[in-house]
Amino acid sequence: MPSFEKRAWLSLWSQCPPYIVYFLIQGLMPTVFTTFLERIACLAVVASVHAIAYLVGLALMKRQERGEPLLLDERDRAIDGRATRIAYFVLLTGMIVVGVVMPFTDTGWKITNTALFAIVLAETVRDVLIVTGYRGKARLAH
């Protein structure tokens, strides 16, 4: 498995479970955390779990790849470029909803959580497209 694909898998497995839990709590039990500090603490725990899982996984990967340079060829660059371009439009759409539409109808944590969801969704889309780029047939053009 190419190193770039391993990093995409690591990003998916370190990011998705904590944020799924966070968004489920926010969506299904919105009254669990009512104060600002409780909400920030919940978000901090989720972000910390994500960061720790990613850093531990990256350290393990680096240990396995000791001495191997991380080289990208044209296929790697094409996969990354396509995934990044599509994820950018996902993020752009989410931020338009958050910054242009929602301020007229919503406030506070609803806007914050929607913006966070757009960021997490864009990164997830990017990682999924990277993984599928390596798993699918080779493409010569975007």
Side-chain angles (χ1 to χ4, degrees):
M1 180 183 306
S3 205
F4 199 54
E5 182 185 0
K6 284 183 196 175
R7 282 167 173 70
W9 276 114
L10 174 61
S11 182
L12 282 170
W13 284 110
S14 66
Q15 173 181 277
C16 290
Y19 284 105
I20 286 171
V21 170
Y22 176 78
F23 290 121
L24 283 175
I25 290 171
Q26 296 299 317
L28 299 176
M29 300 177 285
T31 58
V32 170
F33 302 112
T34 55
T35 68
F36 177 77
L37 286 177
E38 288 173 343
R39 288 176 183 255
I40 287 293
C42 178
L43 183 55
V45 166
V46 168
S48 296
V49 168
H50 171 209
I52 291 167
Y54 186 83
L55 292 174
V56 167
L58 187 62
L60 291 172
M61 253 195 264
K62 288 285 192 182
R63 190 170 186 207
Q64 288 175 345
E65 297 170 348
R66 227 181 277 172
E68 293 179 27
L70 180 61
L71 300 173
L72 298 177
D73 61 12
E74 290 305 313
R75 180 174 181 231
D76 297 322
R77 288 187 185 96
I79 289 169
D80 180 51
R82 179 175 180 270
T84 302
R85 192 169 27 264
I86 292 169
Y88 167 77
F89 286 107
V90 171
L91 181 63
L92 183 64
T93 302
M95 291 300 108
I96 288 171
V97 169
V98 168
V100 178
V101 177
M102 287 184 75
F104 294 107
T105 59
D106 300 299
T107 60
W109 281 98
K110 189 162 186 183
I111 291 176
T112 302
N113 285 330
T114 306
L116 179 61
F117 179 76
I119 293 166
V120 170
L121 180 63
E123 191 60 28
T124 301
V125 165
R126 180 178 179 272
D127 292 331
V128 166
L129 288 173
I130 288 171
V131 167
T132 57
Y134 283 104
R135 299 290 169 145
K137 62 181 180 167
R139 295 173 53 140
L140 300 175
H142 298 293

